[in-house]
Amino acid sequence: MQTNETVPEEPPVAEAATAAESPAVSEAPIAEPQDEDNGAAVQEELRLAQQKADEYQDLWLRAKAETENVRRRAQEDIAKAAKFAIDRFARELLPVKDSLEAALATEGATVESLRAGSELTLKQLVAAFEKSALTEINPVGEKFDPNRHQAISVVESGQEANTVVTVLQKGYLLAERVLRPALVIVAKPAS
C-alpha cells in the first residue's frame, strides 16, 4: 500500500538568514536619509518657533511698556487735576476781589455808594457760584432733610411738625453734593 503522506517542508530559515545578510535589503541606508530630512525639518520648525517666541516676547514687552506709560500719564493727570481743580472757580472769584478792593480804595464814599457797590459785588459772587455749580440751600418753610440740613434746635410753632422755621446759616451744594448743610431751627408740634 502506498501512503500519501506529505512530508512537511522545512521552513525557509536559510532563505531568511540569507536575506538579512544581503546588503541590498539593509534598512540603514533608507532610515538615514529620513532622519536627516526629519532633523532639518525639526531644526526649521524649532527656528520658526524661536522666531515666533521672540516676536511675542517683543510684543509683550512693548505692551507692558505702553501700559506703564498709560498708568504714569494717568497718575500725572490725576495729580494735575487735584492741583488745579479750583482753577476755574478761582478765576471767577478774581473780579469779585477786584470790586471789593476798588470799593475800599474809594475816598469819601457815602453809605449809599458803598451799599450799591456791595450789591454789585454780591451779584458778581452769585454769578461766580452759578458758573461753578455752587448752589445755595435756603430751606425756610421746607420739610427738614437731615441730608441737607443741620437742626440746631426745635421750637413750638404754628407750622407743620418737622418744618424748617428759621435758617441761621445758609447751606451750599456743589454739583448736587452737600458742601455745607444749612443750620436751621425746626418746628415741633404744639403741646
Side-chain angles (χ1 to χ4, degrees):
M1 271 188 131
Q2 260 188 346
T3 55
N4 262 349
E5 286 186 20
T6 54
V7 180
E9 293 181 21
E10 290 183 9
V13 175
E15 286 179 39
T18 315
E21 292 173 2
S22 163
V25 181
S26 174
E27 292 180 17
I30 295 172
E32 254 181 40
Q34 282 180 345
D35 284 344
E36 284 178 16
D37 288 345
N38 284 344
V42 167
Q43 288 295 326
E44 180 63 20
E45 283 183 41
L46 182 61
R47 187 186 66 75
L48 290 174
Q50 184 63 45
Q51 188 177 16
K52 259 194 173 175
D54 291 344
E55 181 182 327
Y56 289 145
Q57 183 176 14
D58 182 56
L59 290 172
W60 177 78
L61 288 173
R62 288 176 189 270
K64 183 179 176 185
E66 180 64 24
T67 302
E68 285 296 315
N69 288 339
V70 167
R71 186 188 58 77
R72 183 185 45 79
R73 275 188 242 122
Q75 285 178 338
E76 288 173 1
D77 289 346
I78 289 169
K80 284 180 185 176
K83 186 176 180 180
F84 299 110
I86 196 163
D87 181 66
R88 188 176 70 145
F89 185 62
R91 288 179 194 274
E92 297 297 329
L93 289 181
L94 291 177
V96 176
K97 182 181 183 291
D98 294 339
S99 294
L100 287 172
E101 287 175 344
L104 291 174
T106 305
E107 294 287 328
T110 64
V111 174
E112 292 82 26
S113 66
L114 284 175
R115 181 168 178 78
S118 295
E119 288 174 354
L120 289 175
T121 303
L122 181 59
K123 285 182 183 179
Q124 285 180 323
L125 185 60
V126 169
F129 281 6
E130 287 174 357
K131 287 179 183 176
S132 299
L134 187 61
T135 55
E136 189 177 276
I137 302 173
N138 191 3
V140 174
E142 295 178 8
K143 278 288 199 187
F144 175 74
D145 180 358
N147 297 315
R148 293 182 173 211
H149 312 141
Q150 182 176 349
I152 299 299
S153 66
V154 180
V155 295
E156 286 187 13
S157 173
Q159 293 183 350
E160 185 180 336
N162 293 326
T163 303
V164 175
V165 176
T166 307
V167 175
L168 300 173
Q169 186 180 56
K170 294 176 184 175
Y172 289 91
L173 299 173
L174 179 60
E176 297 303 315
R177 189 182 81 201
V178 176
L179 185 62
R180 180 179 81 185
L183 298 179
V184 298
I185 298 175
V186 180
K188 71 176 182 178
S191 329

